[in-house]
């Protein structure tokens, strides 16, 4: 069984994230989506809300061939990957600027745990400019984000913003 961890803050999960997950399903028997708990950020959604949303939007991707699970984690990614008995860490790349950062992280992770590989998947061209941070900014400023996120996510964003009078400062991508 080939296992992978796909980490991120997913605040919110975007169509770009889903594209990476769908393509990862072709490569791995089990994918654990690791929702990062980062106390230094001010996310729009709580970790619990993000997990619930992600579980709902990935449900159609579940198949007998690939199991998808969603969990939160804090601390080092390699420790989480070891805990999940992952063979690989999956990272999506949108641009050259992503590559420089991700390469540094992959090399550090490999130095700490040489048995876990990092696999980079290039984002689909349609999502190469989409980030959670930009989606939140666009949404908060009153523009629709339906082309960037699943309908459920936009609905939950609308509920969150209308119910709280939300600010999106120090957002996670």
């Amino acid at each position: 069984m080939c296992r992978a961890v796909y980490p991120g803050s997913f605040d919110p999960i975007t169509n770009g994230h889903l594209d990476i997950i769908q393509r990862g399903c072709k490569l791995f028997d089990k994918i654990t989506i690791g929702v990062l708990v980062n106390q230094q950020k001010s996310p729009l959604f709580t970790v619990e809300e993000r997990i619930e949303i992600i579980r709902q939007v990935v449900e159609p991707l579940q198949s007998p061939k690939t199991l998808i699970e969603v969990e939160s984690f804090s601390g080092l990614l390699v420790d989480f990957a070891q805990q999940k008995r992952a063979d690989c860490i999956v990272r999506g790349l949108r641009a050259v600027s992503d590559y420089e950062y991700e390469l540094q992280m992959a090399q550090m992770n490999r130095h700490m745990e040489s048995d876990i590989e990092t696999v980079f998947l290039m984002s689909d061209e349609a999502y190469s400019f989409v980030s959670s941070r930009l989606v939140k900014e666009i949404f908060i400023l009153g523009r629709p984000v339906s082309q960037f996120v699943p309908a459920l996510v936009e609905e939950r964003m609308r509920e969150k913003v209308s119910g709280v009078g939300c600010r999106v400062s120090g957002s996670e991508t």
Side-chain angles (χ1 to χ4, degrees):
M1 176 177 251
C2 191
R3 297 178 178 100
V5 167
Y6 180 39
S9 56
F10 304 106
D11 186 46
I13 191 166
T14 68
N15 291 337
H17 293 128
L18 289 174
D19 175 59
I20 297 296
I21 294 165
Q22 283 177 313
R23 290 173 32 223
C25 286
K26 296 175 186 174
L27 302 172
F28 305 104
D29 301 308
K30 181 178 182 181
I31 298 175
T32 301
I33 301 169
V35 179
L36 177 64
V37 176
N38 187 341
Q39 304 298 342
Q40 298 183 11
K41 302 263 184 166
S42 300
L44 177 61
F45 293 106
T46 67
V47 170
E48 295 77 19
E49 289 170 327
R50 285 180 269 165
I51 289 171
E52 175 194 342
I53 291 167
I54 294 167
R55 284 182 177 152
Q56 289 180 41
V57 297
V58 301
E59 181 61 34
L61 304 179
Q62 294 280 9
S63 74
K65 183 183 177 286
T66 304
L67 172 66
I68 303 171
E69 64 180 13
V70 185
E71 293 183 22
S72 66
F73 78 99
S74 59
L76 292 174
L77 173 56
V78 291
D79 293 339
F80 179 66
Q82 277 186 310
Q83 174 193 346
K84 300 311 299 175
R85 297 185 355 209
D87 304 292
C88 297
I89 295 168
V90 173
R91 298 299 294 158
L93 297 176
R94 295 172 295 195
V96 172
S97 57
D98 285 349
Y99 177 74
E100 292 175 16
Y101 172 77
E102 294 295 344
L103 176 64
Q104 184 179 22
M105 295 303 297
Q107 289 173 330
M108 181 60 77
N109 287 338
R110 185 175 201 151
H111 180 76
M112 289 186 288
E113 185 51 60
S114 62
D115 290 340
I116 301 174
E117 294 292 337
T118 299
V119 174
F120 297 117
L121 295 177
M122 296 303 300
S123 93
D124 185 288
E125 186 178 308
Y127 309 118
S128 63
F129 59 91
V130 177
S131 72
S132 295
R133 181 185 54 81
L134 288 175
V135 166
K136 287 186 288 193
E137 285 182 31
I138 292 165
F139 184 81
I140 294 300
L141 293 172
R143 296 295 291 257
V145 293
S146 56
Q147 61 194 347
F148 309 122
V149 297
L152 172 70
V153 173
E154 186 173 30
E155 176 185 319
R156 294 292 298 271
M157 290 174 77
R158 195 173 297 111
E159 290 170 5
K160 187 71 145 177
V161 171
S162 67
V164 180
C166 157
R167 287 184 316 131
V168 182
S169 61
S171 302
E172 299 176 12
T173 40

